[in-house]
Every structure is written in structure tokens, then in C-alpha cells.
Amino acid sequence: MKHSIWTKSVIFSIIIFASSFLSNCSENKASNQDRDAQLLAALASRPATVATTTSVSCSTANPAFSTLRDAGFNSSCGRSGCHDGTTRFNTTNVNQVKGFVTAGQPSSSTLYSIQNGGSMTVYTNTALSQAIFCWIQGGANN
């Protein structure tokens, strides 16, 4: 399949972003939070490739934010130096996490895209990916 130059540049940009994001995970600078928010906002405006969601079955129509914690969101993502609030958004802060989702639309949400087929895929598992999908699909409730 032929890819346009624009598609290749988007893929290249995502790879560069992901590598800089992962290599700087232990930095402790407040400016990283602003930079990450700007980069994620820019990426959110571009189409993302996400794994299919047809097999996701949500057992609760409107799951609470705590279902993410129960699925391992804080232990997988909120480790010291990553998303514990010191250098990037805090996975325990529902309002900060909601800044990366479009309620009711997992495939349009930066959080789901990055966790499920994006740069943070290596830190997730099926249960966490499903919990994120269902939480967003159910309205990203507190």
C-alpha cells in the first residue's frame, strides 16, 4: 500500500514524540507538563490508528473512574517519574485524565489511542485497555 508524504511525516512525528516521551520519563521539570499537553493536543487533531474495539464488552454501562485504578492504571502508568503528577499529568486526578478523553468516544480520545496502539501500548494490557475504553465509552465519569 502506498503512503502519502503527509502520512509518513505524521508517523515519523509520532515515533519521534514517543521516543522523546519515553526517554524523558524520569525528568522532573514542570515545563514537561506543558510540553506534553501541547504535543498531545497536536496529535489529537490528527487521525490516529487504533486497534479495533468491536470485541470490547463493557459489563457496566457507566463505570466510575476507580475502575481504571482497579485495572492497574495507577500502577502501570502512575509510577514515580512518569504519570504521578511530578512531571506529567497525574493518573489519580480524574480532571487531569479527562483532559485527554472525549467522553463517549474512545477511538477519538488521546488517552485510548496512546494506550491502545500508540506510544504507551507497552505499558498496558487487555484488562487496562478495556477499562479505559469502557470508562470513556460510558461518559468518563468521576
Side-chain angles (χ1 to χ4, degrees):
M1 172 163 50
K2 294 183 179 181
H3 295 285
S4 70
I5 294 174
W6 184 86
T7 302
K8 289 179 182 179
S9 67
V10 168
I11 292 170
F12 180 75
S13 298
I14 291 171
I15 291 169
I16 296 298
F17 167 75
S19 63
S20 69
F21 188 81
L22 292 174
S23 67
N24 292 323
C25 195
S26 62
E27 287 185 19
N28 191 12
K29 296 180 182 176
S31 63
N32 284 347
Q33 289 176 320
D34 294 332
R35 184 193 71 222
D36 288 352
Q38 290 170 346
L39 288 171
L40 288 173
L43 287 174
S45 66
R46 292 184 170 87
T49 302
V50 207
T52 62
T53 56
T54 56
S55 62
V56 175
S57 174
C58 302
S59 59
T60 304
N62 300 6
F65 183 68
S66 62
T67 60
L68 299 184
R69 180 197 63 230
D70 297 343
F73 189 50
N74 298 345
S75 59
S76 294
C77 308
R79 297 187 312 256
S80 176
C82 287
H83 296 287
D84 62 352
T86 58
T87 60
R88 292 171 177 80
F89 76 92
N90 189 335
T91 59
T92 64
N93 184 314
V94 67
N95 292 323
Q96 288 182 18
V97 175
K98 280 184 173 185
F100 298 97
V101 305
T102 303
Q105 301 177 21
S107 61
S108 298
S109 298
T110 303
L111 176 65
Y112 184 71
S113 298
I114 288 174
Q115 283 292 129
N116 194 44
S119 61
M120 296 290 116
T121 302
V122 296
Y123 300 107
T124 195
N125 57 49
T126 302
L128 180 54
S129 182
Q130 182 172 351
I132 291 170
F133 177 89
C134 292
W135 177 69
I136 297 169
Q137 182 69 35
N141 301 298
N142 292 345

